[in-house]
Amino acid sequence: MTITDIVLVLFIAALLAFAIYDEFIMPRRNGATLLAVPLLRRSRTDGAIFVGLLVILIYNNTANGGSPLTLWLLFALALLGIYLFWIRAPKIIFKMRGFFFANAWIEYSRIKEMNLSEDGVLVMQLEQRRLLIRVRNIDDLEKISAVLLKTQ
């Protein structure tokens, strides 16, 4: 196993661990889930660049007669990239004492101010940071406000 293969295995393990945490572990942390709302995806350009570079590496490995193990590892990394950038949907998960946004736990007590912009973006002002929550379905904003009123 070359250094390249070891690095690929490490990247695959890290992305797989993140995918498992995001899908299975995070919803079970900090109590029962009150509400999980899908969010709008950000630009898919970064994902397209990542997968495109992997396709170039796969072609280069095949054309130069590279190791079959490296080829399989590149394919696995490409599949994980496709899952993370195109299949997986970002979400906000509301719990009794706080919520998960962008995989970070935020207590309700940290919210200093909330506003709703004209284009349907919920803006939460924390101590030193502002969260811009773009929901996929505009009706989910009513559900979010009901959960926030119930927990406050």
Side-chain angles (χ1 to χ4, degrees):
M1 193 180 256
T2 65
I3 286 237
T4 303
D5 293 340
I6 292 170
V7 170
L8 286 173
V9 167
L10 290 176
F11 279 129
I12 290 169
L15 287 176
L16 193 58
F18 170 75
I20 290 170
Y21 171 78
D22 185 58
E23 194 67 33
F24 300 111
I25 296 172
M26 190 174 58
R28 289 170 176 74
R29 289 186 57 206
N30 296 327
T33 299
L34 300 176
L35 179 66
V37 177
L39 302 174
L40 283 178
R41 294 179 193 268
R42 293 189 180 185
S43 174
R44 295 182 179 179
T45 306
D46 294 337
I49 291 170
F50 178 72
V51 173
L53 287 173
L54 285 174
V55 168
I56 291 170
L57 287 173
I58 289 169
Y59 172 76
N60 194 18
N61 186 50
T62 306
N64 293 333
S67 164
L69 177 62
T70 304
L71 185 65
W72 280 105
L73 292 173
L74 287 170
F75 272 122
L77 195 58
L79 287 175
L80 276 170
I82 289 169
Y83 168 75
L84 289 175
F85 291 113
W86 283 290
I87 297 172
R88 178 187 146 272
K91 57 188 170 280
I92 185 168
I93 301 172
F94 290 93
K95 305 286 185 158
M96 199 58 157
R97 295 179 306 132
F99 59 94
F100 283 103
F101 178 71
N103 296 324
W105 174 252
I106 299 165
E107 298 272 340
Y108 291 130
S109 60
R110 292 185 56 202
I111 299 173
K112 302 300 178 199
E113 185 178 325
M114 281 194 328
N115 294 312
L116 184 61
S117 70
E118 293 176 5
D119 54 347
V121 177
L122 181 62
V123 180
M124 290 186 183
Q125 181 66 42
L126 305 179
E127 297 94 4
Q128 299 176 359
R129 187 175 154 191
R130 184 173 28 184
L131 304 177
L132 302 175
I133 301 171
R134 294 175 176 90
V135 295
R136 188 181 299 169
N137 186 358
I138 199 76
D139 295 333
D140 289 335
L141 290 172
E142 291 179 27
K143 296 175 187 175
I144 291 173
S145 67
V147 167
L148 289 174
L149 289 174
K150 184 173 115 175
T151 57
Q152 295 294 321

